[in-house]
Amino acid sequence: MGKSVKIAIFLLSMSFLGGCDSAELEQRSFPLAMGVDIQMQEPEENLVITYDFPDLEQISEKSKTADTPMGFSLEGKDLYHVEKSYENNTNRILDYNHLKTIIVSEENFGNMQKVRGLLENWEDRPEVARNISLFFTPKKAAEILTLTDKTEGSVGKYLEEMLESQKDFRANKVATIGDLMNQWHNQDELLLVPVLTEQGGQPAITQYGVISDFEYVGDISVEQAMEVFLSQNLLKHFSYECEDGTVIEISNIRVEQEIQEKDGVPVVKTSLVGKGKISQSIVLEDGEKYRLEKQVAEQLAFQLTKTANELQETYGVDITNSYITLGGHQRELYKKYDNMPKTYGKSVRHVFQAEITILNFQ
């Protein structure tokens, strides 16, 4: 990857940086997003880090610089050497206080030693927040960070606003670098990471990457991911399309789990209750209303069971993430599967029940 990149010295306003003096500003660069790629350099692989800097013309009317580079890529054997290279090339240091997003190319997870090294570096820095949003991409992270024409400026800012606009999730349920650190240390939780691809010149979430036992095991569709989130009580709203094409918006969602042992294997019973609204109000008799509610509940439970079985068979994962609550549900099972989350994920069986009350009948 070419290293000849134009470098701008940018001065950020006092309000944007929360009180840094002018001398500090001239010595610091404040990326909003960061991309992590792999570059083969025999006999080893190097990291390629791409930084996405703010568009200063969007931040301050006083900044009228016509040539403001927002993307900057450097290569090194680890993050420390990349940062040193940046300092040597720019006479400035990187400040991550405004970093909102990290995009990691999925090829990184072919070398878990590199991923661990990156996480170790982040963990040693108390100034770096763990709630930085995490994305994957099947290609190069640097390519996503260059999609600035349609995003009207910084891709990091665009992704931050995109996540803020998602209203279906419960508060603060976005994959973060802290979640990946927890996976690294505990390896007992299913983690879904949104996957970005280019669509119409803009970054878009088209899949979710599955991390289990601190291994990237593959991607699933957005629809499957929403069903996983639903089974874990992580959604406030869920759209479900019935077999006849009827779309129902489900809200007031409550999900409860019960874990028991049956025939020597753990069985997770997941009960889902919610209120549903059909996209168009319809007229039904009481008996028909009951029949439709029962039909919707049965179809939804069947679909969740199907997804649970498919992902367990393909990736060996438990979509309900029940292992992390096993100790509070079933102590004997907890002792049996202690420190064996992968074995538990492959062994668990699922029973789903749903109860949906349709509100907009006439």
Side-chain angles (χ1 to χ4, degrees):
M1 178 174 293
K3 296 183 181 177
S4 59
V5 184
K6 288 186 238 179
I7 301 169
I9 299 176
F10 32 90
L11 306 175
L12 302 180
S13 65
M14 295 288 285
S15 61
F16 177 63
L17 295 173
C20 294
D21 60 40
S22 59
E24 288 178 322
L25 293 179
E26 292 175 356
Q27 297 169 1
R28 295 175 183 268
S29 295
F30 299 87
L32 296 181
M34 175 175 139
V36 184
D37 291 310
I38 291 289
Q39 179 77 17
M40 275 303 300
Q41 292 289 341
E42 296 294 344
E44 62 179 14
E45 294 177 330
N46 280 349
L47 286 179
V48 178
I49 305 296
T50 303
Y51 295 102
D52 175 64
F53 295 107
D55 184 347
L56 298 188
E57 292 190 13
Q58 292 183 343
I59 295 171
S60 173
E61 288 296 323
K62 296 180 180 179
S63 180
K64 298 298 182 182
T65 305
D67 189 14
T68 305
M70 290 180 288
F72 188 99
S73 295
L74 286 171
E75 184 179 324
K77 67 178 183 179
D78 53 33
L79 187 58
Y80 171 80
H81 286 87
V82 169
E83 292 170 340
K84 285 300 178 184
S85 178
Y86 183 88
E87 293 174 17
N88 293 336
N89 278 280
T90 66
N91 241 0
R92 298 164 67 84
I93 62 174
L94 288 157
D95 189 315
Y96 295 113
N97 278 305
H98 296 279
L99 186 66
K100 301 295 184 182
T101 301
I102 294 179
I103 305 172
V104 182
S105 61
E106 290 174 334
E107 65 180 339
N108 280 279
F109 284 83
N111 186 338
M112 296 309 297
Q113 184 176 353
K114 285 288 184 187
V115 177
R116 288 189 182 93
L118 187 65
L119 294 178
E120 287 173 354
N121 189 292
W122 283 113
E123 196 169 48
D124 290 339
R125 303 176 183 215
E127 76 278 7
V128 177
R130 289 197 171 208
N131 64 349
I132 297 170
S133 301
L134 178 66
F135 291 91
F136 287 165
T137 182
K139 295 186 177 180
K140 295 291 185 181
E143 295 178 15
I144 298 295
L145 291 176
T146 61
L147 301 175
T148 56
D149 289 343
K150 293 291 183 68
T151 61
E152 299 180 350
S154 163
V155 173
K157 183 65 175 176
Y158 176 86
L159 293 175
E160 180 186 7
E161 293 173 350
M162 181 175 70
L163 290 178
E164 289 175 350
S165 69
Q166 294 183 350
K167 304 301 183 183
D168 291 339
F169 290 91
R170 297 192 186 279
N172 300 324
K173 188 49 198 173
V174 174
T176 66
I177 193 68
D179 293 330
L180 191 58
M181 287 181 182
N182 290 338
Q183 260 278 352
W184 167 39
H185 289 302
N186 301 318
Q187 301 180 20
D188 62 354
E189 187 173 0
L190 177 65
L191 177 62
L192 299 188
V193 181
V195 176
L196 295 172
T197 57
E198 181 270 331
Q199 285 194 341
Q202 295 176 314
I205 299 173
T206 55
Q207 291 180 309
Y208 278 78
V210 180
I211 303 294
S212 177
D213 200 29
F214 197 56
E215 292 181 7
Y216 162 64
V217 298
D219 295 331
I220 62 176
S221 68
V222 172
E223 291 76 17
Q224 287 176 317
M226 291 304 108
E227 291 168 12
V228 173
F229 292 133
L230 176 65
S231 72
Q232 297 177 22
N233 202 30
L234 298 177
L235 295 181
K236 295 187 295 184
H237 307 281
F238 179 77
S239 297
Y240 179 69
E241 184 175 352
C242 300
E243 292 178 354
D244 62 0
T246 302
V247 177
I248 298 178
E249 299 291 335
I250 303 174
S251 60
N252 297 99
I253 298 169
R254 186 176 75 254
V255 177
E256 296 180 352
Q257 285 183 0
E258 179 183 340
I259 308 173
Q260 298 293 334
E261 186 173 20
K262 186 175 181 180
D263 298 328
V265 298
V267 177
V268 179
K269 179 182 176 182
T270 303
S271 301
L272 184 152
V273 177
K275 307 292 185 182
K277 286 188 177 181
I278 301 175
S279 55
Q280 182 175 342
S281 183
I282 57 178
V283 178
L284 289 176
E285 300 292 337
D286 287 342
E288 292 177 305
K289 174 180 181 295
Y290 172 76
R291 179 190 57 78
L292 181 58
E293 289 177 335
K294 182 179 179 182
Q295 177 182 337
V296 169
E298 289 177 349
Q299 288 183 13
L300 179 57
F302 176 82
Q303 182 59 43
L304 291 173
T305 302
K306 178 182 177 183
T307 297
N309 292 339
E310 286 178 354
L311 298 191
Q312 184 179 44
E313 181 178 347
T314 305
Y315 298 131
V317 299
D318 165 23
I319 72 168
T320 65
N321 234 352
S322 60
Y323 183 82
I324 60 175
T325 62
L326 190 58
H329 282 271
Q330 242 280 358
R331 293 298 299 178
E332 292 304 313
L333 278 174
Y334 177 76
K335 294 176 183 178
K336 180 177 179 178
Y337 290 98
D338 188 24
N339 293 320
M340 294 191 297
K342 184 178 293 187
T343 301
Y344 176 86
K346 293 179 179 179
S347 303
V348 69
R349 296 293 177 265
H350 292 284
V351 176
F352 287 94
Q353 293 181 344
E355 181 182 332
I356 307 299
T357 303
I358 307 298
L359 299 178
N360 57 335
F361 285 111
Q362 292 182 349

